[in-house]
């Protein structure tokens, strides 16, 4: 075995000149279509772009006007088919709507969690296995402070800065687009972001790697019994680059002072949902804005009686968490059953019918053995790639936070497992981290980073 | 279509003739792993000798070796076999030098052996992965033909990817 290896090594050395000539031939003779197939198999957009400076031919394939759309499509296809997308979670403390006001004055600490692939994609930071928690202030450094993250969609963030200034940005590529100033009165409001892929390939920036999106930013405030909204759309044929304002009323009972969770969730079909309840850790229902139709409606929270008997009392107090999994809105609650030493986790999914009827379906109802502590809070529904639309319920993941008197630790729970799995320590500066009013902004990184179209007025 | 599938059960043999005159006798089920040969068999039907003037015997032999392995393992498709296949593929591409890799890839592409093209492009990609630009140029003997300043400009435009 040893002798054999030595012999092959020797042969390689003596054949070096010959193999160099072959290597030269390899890349100069290989067809464009095979070279694209090779480049498509690079692990992420970062390594693909790094390859664009190898030589002019590679550059033309990756960025050139005639090839790059083809390569983008192949790259997307290859990566969506094979693996789950990398994601980053931005976690910041908050106190409801007031948090935006506070953030404008004094930015709250924000933490950043990345999966291993997300780490590799970001490159700047050394990966720490398997997850990494950091203060994320430097992540958004390309925007001036003070600022507040108000919403996320795929790999884009909606950021608000004082004086009604909104930005749509891609924190990975550090591209940001400033929107026109929001109308007077929308200083502290609920805001949401929703995107759809643009079919507009004639736009000036489209002859580059990746795809354009069109996006809508929706602002919402309540004045007495009427809600006022302002909508900004990146593709405006009717009114150019302006906020479109309107007002509407919700059902009677929502006219009383309800608590609005300012962080929305946006689904694949273009609807943005804001949870609302009497207190912020409660969800009475959702205000839903259908961005395509420009229509508002109210969706009730799932009927809590669905399968609940023993935890009924507790459930009322358990902070619900929301998320969009495979393009659909989900609501999750976890309750501790001390007597049985179990955590009960229930997850509902919203099914919207064409005729406007909404139904909640209980998709998960699991019991997990308690850890050594009762101080365990459900933090987030972890994103999944939504390329597979099968109805297989297995494998969904949830983020839990274990908190003092023990150390701050993050745990993951995967449906189908019988225990929690520790992911990393959390280094929160204070014991008073308000975990129950924490907002989690998921960033799901598509194979190629989303490009934000610049506005015609800029 | 249906007639060709009935003939496979009686293990019809095909003769494949490479550019250097070397011929291979293979079962139809093995050769039709290659899209190009599958098409020829379906179109021409009775022809048993297929000339492949673009493929050298050495590499055609390797391609057919791969086909044989995958045609055999496809007939009984349980999970364990899948593992064996993967392991075999890994061995197959492990020690390929660039010369062989190049010719195999060209042959596989010419013969429309999609799965084999997947395997080989994946192998080439693995030779690029994790390497610095200079190392990639070194590996494939590529000369940078950018004008002065051009490379710098690309780096600057996409600075996030180069940090």
């Amino acid at each position: 075995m040893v002798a054999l290896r030595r012999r092959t090594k020797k042969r390689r050395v003596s054949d070096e000149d010959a193999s160099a000539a072959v290597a030269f031939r390899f890349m100069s003779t290989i067809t464009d279509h095979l070279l694209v197939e090779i480049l498509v198999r690079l692990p992420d957009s970062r390594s693909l772009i790094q390859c664009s400076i190898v030589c002019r031919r590679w550059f033309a394939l990756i960025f050139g006007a005639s090839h790059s759309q083809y390569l983008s499509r192949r790259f997307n296809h290859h990566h969506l088919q094979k693996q789950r997308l990398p994601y980053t979670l931005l976690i910041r403390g908050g106190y409801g709507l007031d948090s935006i006001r506070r953030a404008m004055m004094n930015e709250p600490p924000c933490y950043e969690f990345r999966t291993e692939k997300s780490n590799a994609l970001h490159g700047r930071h050394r990966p720490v296995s398997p997850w990494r928690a950091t203060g994320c202030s430097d992540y958004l450094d390309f925007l001036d402070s003070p600022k507040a993250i108000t919403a996320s969609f795929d790999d884009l963030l909606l950021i608000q800065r004082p004086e009604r200034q909104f930005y749509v940005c891609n924190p990975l590529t550090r591209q940001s687009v400033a929107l026109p100033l929001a109308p007077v009165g929308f200083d502290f409001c609920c805001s949401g972001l929703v995107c759809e892929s643009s079919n507009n390939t004639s736009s000036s920036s489209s002859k580059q790697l990746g795809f354009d999106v069109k996006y809508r930013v929706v602002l919402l405030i309540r004045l007495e019994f009427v809600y006022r909204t302002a909508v900004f759309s990146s593709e405006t044929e009717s009114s150019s680059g302006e906020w479109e304002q309107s007002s509407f009323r919700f059902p009677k009972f929502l006219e009383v002072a309800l608590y609005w969770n300012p962080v929305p969730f946006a689904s694949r079909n273009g609807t943005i949902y804001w949870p609302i309840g009497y207190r912020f850790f409660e969800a009475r229902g959702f205000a839903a804005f259908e961005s395509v139709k420009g229509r508002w409606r109210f969706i009730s929270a799932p009927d809590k009686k669905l399968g609940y008997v023993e935890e009924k009392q507790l459930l009322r107090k358990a902070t619900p968490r929301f998320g969009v999994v495979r393009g659909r809105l989900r609501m999750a609650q976890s309750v501790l059953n001390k007597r049985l030493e179990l955590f009960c986790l229930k997850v509902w999914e919203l099914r919207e019918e064409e005729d406007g009827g909404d139904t909640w379906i209980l998709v998960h109802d699991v019991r997990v053995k308690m850890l050594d502590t009762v101080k365990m809070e459900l933090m987030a529904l972890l994103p999944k790639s939504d390329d597979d639309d099968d109805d297989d319920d297995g494998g969904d993941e949830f983020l839990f936070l274990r908190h003092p008197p023990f150390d701050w630790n993050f745990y993951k729970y995967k449906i189908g497992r019988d225990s929690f799995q520790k992911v990393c320590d959390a280094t929160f500066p204070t014991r008073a981290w308000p975990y129950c009013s924490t907002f989690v902004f998921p960033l799901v990184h598509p194979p190629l980073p989303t490009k934000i179209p610049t506005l015609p007025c800029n | 279509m249906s007639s060709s599938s009935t003939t496979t059960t009686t293990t019809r043999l095909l003769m494949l003739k490479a550019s250097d005159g070397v011929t291979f006798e293979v079962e139809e089920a093995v050769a039709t792993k290659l899209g190009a040969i599958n098409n020829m068999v379906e179109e021409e039907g009775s022809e048993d000798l297929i000339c492949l003037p673009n493929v050298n015997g050495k590499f055609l032999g390797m391609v057919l070796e791969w086909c044989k392995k995958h045609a055999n393992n496809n007939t009984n498709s349980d999970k364990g076999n899948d593992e064996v296949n993967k392991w075999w593929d890994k061995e197959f591409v492990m020690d390929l030098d660039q010369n062989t890799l190049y010719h195999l890839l060209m042959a596989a592409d010419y013969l429309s052996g999609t799965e084999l093209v997947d395997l080989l492009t994946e192998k080439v990609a693995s030779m690029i992965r994790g390497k610095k630009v200079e190392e990639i140029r070194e590996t494939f003997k590529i000369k940078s033909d950018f004008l002065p300043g051009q490379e710098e400009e690309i780096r600057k435009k996409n600075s996030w990817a180069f940090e």
Side-chain angles (χ1 to χ4, degrees):
Chain A
M1 193 66 194
V2 177
L4 189 80
R5 188 159 289 165
R6 191 167 293 158
R7 206 187 312 150
T8 52
K9 210 171 196 176
K10 219 177 210 169
R11 198 196 64 202
R12 262 183 209 160
V13 171
S14 65
D15 284 356
E16 205 165 65
D17 289 345
S19 83
V22 169
F24 180 72
R25 199 167 139 219
F26 190 130
M27 280 303 171
S28 57
T29 350
I30 197 163
T31 57
D32 278 354
H33 119 87
L34 281 177
L35 187 48
V36 164
E37 286 308 305
I38 291 165
L39 293 175
V40 153
R41 285 166 172 76
L42 292 173
D44 53 32
S45 52
R46 162 176 290 270
S47 44
L48 179 66
I49 290 172
Q50 285 178 355
C51 278
S52 71
I53 56 166
V54 166
C55 64
R56 274 159 75 174
R57 182 179 179 212
W58 289 33
F59 174 78
L61 285 179
I62 295 167
F63 282 113
S66 52
H67 291 98
S68 131
Q69 281 295 304
Y70 174 69
L71 184 122
S72 297
R73 263 195 298 273
R74 284 290 304 138
F75 194 82
N76 240 9
H77 179 78
H78 185 82
H79 286 264
L80 287 177
Q81 183 185 42
K82 280 219 156 162
Q83 48 203 272
R84 287 170 58 165
L85 298 172
Y87 61 84
T88 302
L89 301 180
L90 297 177
I91 302 182
R92 75 161 166 83
Y95 310 84
L97 248 192
D98 201 35
S99 71
I100 294 169
R101 200 186 308 251
R102 280 171 196 244
M104 301 285 203
M105 295 184 291
N106 186 12
E107 259 180 73
C110 186
Y111 293 88
E112 192 186 333
F113 290 80
R114 300 210 194 114
T115 60
E116 231 165 306
K117 275 183 198 151
S118 173
N119 254 330
L121 180 66
H122 283 79
R124 268 181 302 166
H125 308 288
R126 296 207 71 76
V128 173
S129 185
W131 276 34
R132 183 173 187 274
T134 62
C136 75
S137 51
D138 67 324
Y139 191 42
L140 301 175
D141 255 3
F142 61 97
L143 286 171
D144 290 336
S145 287
K147 55 185 173 282
I149 309 168
T150 68
S152 68
F153 190 94
D154 285 350
D155 55 343
L156 301 185
L157 286 176
L158 181 65
I159 304 274
Q160 188 181 0
R161 296 202 54 234
E163 313 304 333
R164 313 190 306 277
Q165 182 64 67
F166 284 88
Y167 296 85
V168 176
C169 73
N170 186 328
L172 175 64
T173 61
R174 279 170 259 150
Q175 186 203 358
S176 77
V177 170
L179 307 186
L181 271 197
V184 177
F186 288 91
D187 298 71
F188 301 108
C189 54
C190 293
S191 53
L193 171 70
V194 69
C195 302
E196 58 184 299
S197 59
S198 168
N199 299 320
N200 183 5
T201 47
S202 62
S203 108
S204 59
S205 56
S206 69
K207 59 177 183 299
Q208 258 215 354
L209 192 66
F211 305 98
D212 272 344
V213 286
K214 49 183 174 187
Y215 59 84
R216 283 189 180 85
V217 173
V218 183
L219 309 180
L220 179 69
I221 51 166
R222 205 186 71 211
L223 285 174
E224 299 293 311
F225 296 130
V226 179
Y227 290 90
R228 267 182 72 203
T229 67
V231 179
F232 183 87
S233 174
S234 65
E235 270 182 27
T236 42
E237 286 104 39
S238 48
S239 59
S240 55
E242 293 293 323
W243 291 89
E244 250 173 78
Q245 292 191 64
S246 61
S247 54
F248 66 96
R249 279 165 180 270
F250 272 132
K252 235 341 23 41
F253 73 94
L254 284 174
E255 289 176 2
V256 294
L258 278 181
Y259 182 89
W260 282 70
N261 182 334
V263 176
F265 299 88
S267 78
R268 202 48 44 201
N269 61 14
T271 306
I272 312 177
Y273 313 89
W274 284 269
I276 41 183
Y278 290 115
R279 287 168 299 177
F280 84 95
F281 45 82
E282 198 183 54
R284 182 71 197 265
F286 298 85
F289 177 70
E290 298 167 33
S291 70
V292 180
K293 292 177 187 157
R295 191 178 68 173
W296 285 90
R297 65 199 173 94
F298 177 76
I299 298 168
S300 309
D303 182 1
K304 298 285 179 48
K305 277 178 289 201
L306 273 174
Y308 266 100
V309 186
E310 51 187 322
E311 303 103 2
K312 202 174 159 192
Q313 287 304 310
L314 275 164
L315 193 72
R316 211 166 280 161
K317 286 188 216 154
T319 310
R321 294 288 179 180
F322 315 98
V324 172
V325 179
R326 293 198 201 92
R328 286 196 170 123
L329 182 69
R330 285 189 173 188
M331 173 172 156
Q333 269 185 308
S334 105
V335 180
L336 175 75
N337 188 321
K338 277 188 192 158
R339 190 168 51 84
L340 298 172
E341 302 195 333
L342 289 169
F343 272 99
C344 304
L345 175 68
K346 297 209 175 206
V347 185
W348 294 268
E349 185 174 276
L350 180 67
R351 302 282 165 90
E352 286 157 293
E353 312 298 338
E354 271 301 305
D355 56 18
D358 304 305
T359 40
W360 288 93
I361 291 172
L362 185 68
V363 287
H364 294 303
D365 183 359
V366 294
R367 273 129 222 264
V368 195
K369 208 171 167 302
M370 210 170 97
L371 229 48
D372 52 350
T373 168
V374 296
K375 305 278 188 186
M376 196 83 147
E377 289 284 332
L378 175 63
M379 292 290 290
L381 291 80
L382 295 177
K384 260 193 117 163
S385 58
D386 41 14
D387 48 301
D388 57 346
D389 53 0
D390 58 1
D391 280 327
D392 150 44
D393 286 334
D396 289 342
E397 292 178 330
F398 301 85
L399 186 68
F400 282 83
L401 178 65
R402 189 173 83 147
H403 53 83
F406 300 89
D407 294 335
W408 296 96
N409 303 122
F410 278 102
Y411 281 83
K412 204 152 78 166
Y413 173 71
K414 188 172 186 164
I415 295 287
R417 300 256 174 92
D418 57 3
S419 61
F420 294 97
Q421 177 199 353
K422 188 174 167 185
V423 285
C424 64
D425 294 324
T427 47
F428 294 134
T430 120
R431 302 190 60 168
W433 175 263
Y435 51 84
C436 56
S437 62
T438 309
F439 298 124
V440 180
F441 299 90
L443 286 169
V444 181
H445 306 284
L448 293 168
T450 306
K451 286 185 297 171
I452 311 159
T454 48
L455 302 171
C457 50
N458 289 6
Chain B
M1 190 73 191
S2 59
S3 67
S4 76
S5 64
T6 49
T7 49
T8 45
T9 54
T10 58
T11 60
R12 181 185 163 194
L13 292 177
L14 293 175
M15 293 288 279
L16 303 182
K17 194 173 169 192
S19 60
D20 50 357
V22 182
T23 54
F24 295 86
E25 198 177 43
V26 282
E27 289 174 20
E28 184 179 339
V30 170
T32 48
K33 287 291 287 178
L34 303 165
I37 290 175
N38 193 38
N39 284 348
M40 283 184 218
V41 168
E42 276 178 11
E43 277 168 24
E44 292 162 32
S46 59
E47 201 70 58
D48 278 353
L49 177 72
I50 295 175
C51 290
L52 302 165
N54 285 354
V55 190
N56 180 291
K58 181 184 166 196
F59 304 111
L60 181 58
M62 290 181 80
V63 170
L64 290 173
E65 188 192 350
W66 181 87
C67 289
K68 207 175 279 172
K69 200 75 199 169
H70 283 254
N72 283 347
N73 288 344
N74 271 10
T75 49
N76 45 348
S77 55
D78 55 279
K79 267 237 165 89
N81 235 319
D82 221 43
E83 286 298 303
V84 172
N85 254 2
K86 265 190 195 143
W87 183 83
W88 194 88
D89 277 354
K90 216 172 149 188
E91 290 283 300
F92 186 71
V93 295
M94 184 131 76
D95 281 326
L96 292 182
D97 58 70
Q98 286 198 19
N99 184 22
T100 317
L101 188 55
Y102 169 78
H103 284 103
L104 265 183
L105 185 53
M106 296 311 274
D109 187 45
Y110 168 70
L111 296 167
S112 313
T114 326
E115 287 167 68
L116 183 55
V117 171
D118 280 349
L119 178 69
L120 296 170
T121 47
E122 187 63 50
K123 166 72 181 172
V124 183
S126 77
M127 294 159 70
I128 300 175
R129 223 173 280 158
K131 285 203 172 90
K132 293 201 180 77
V133 174
E134 292 75 22
E135 292 168 326
I136 297 170
R137 288 189 192 133
E138 177 58 32
T139 306
F140 296 104
K141 307 291 171 217
I142 300 171
K143 284 202 185 81
S144 171
D145 49 0
F146 286 108
L147 298 173
Q150 260 179 348
E151 191 184 318
E152 204 42 51
E153 196 184 318
I154 302 164
R155 277 179 189 271
K156 226 174 172 178
K157 249 189 177 166
N158 302 282
S159 58
W160 70 271
F162 290 97
E163 278 166 7

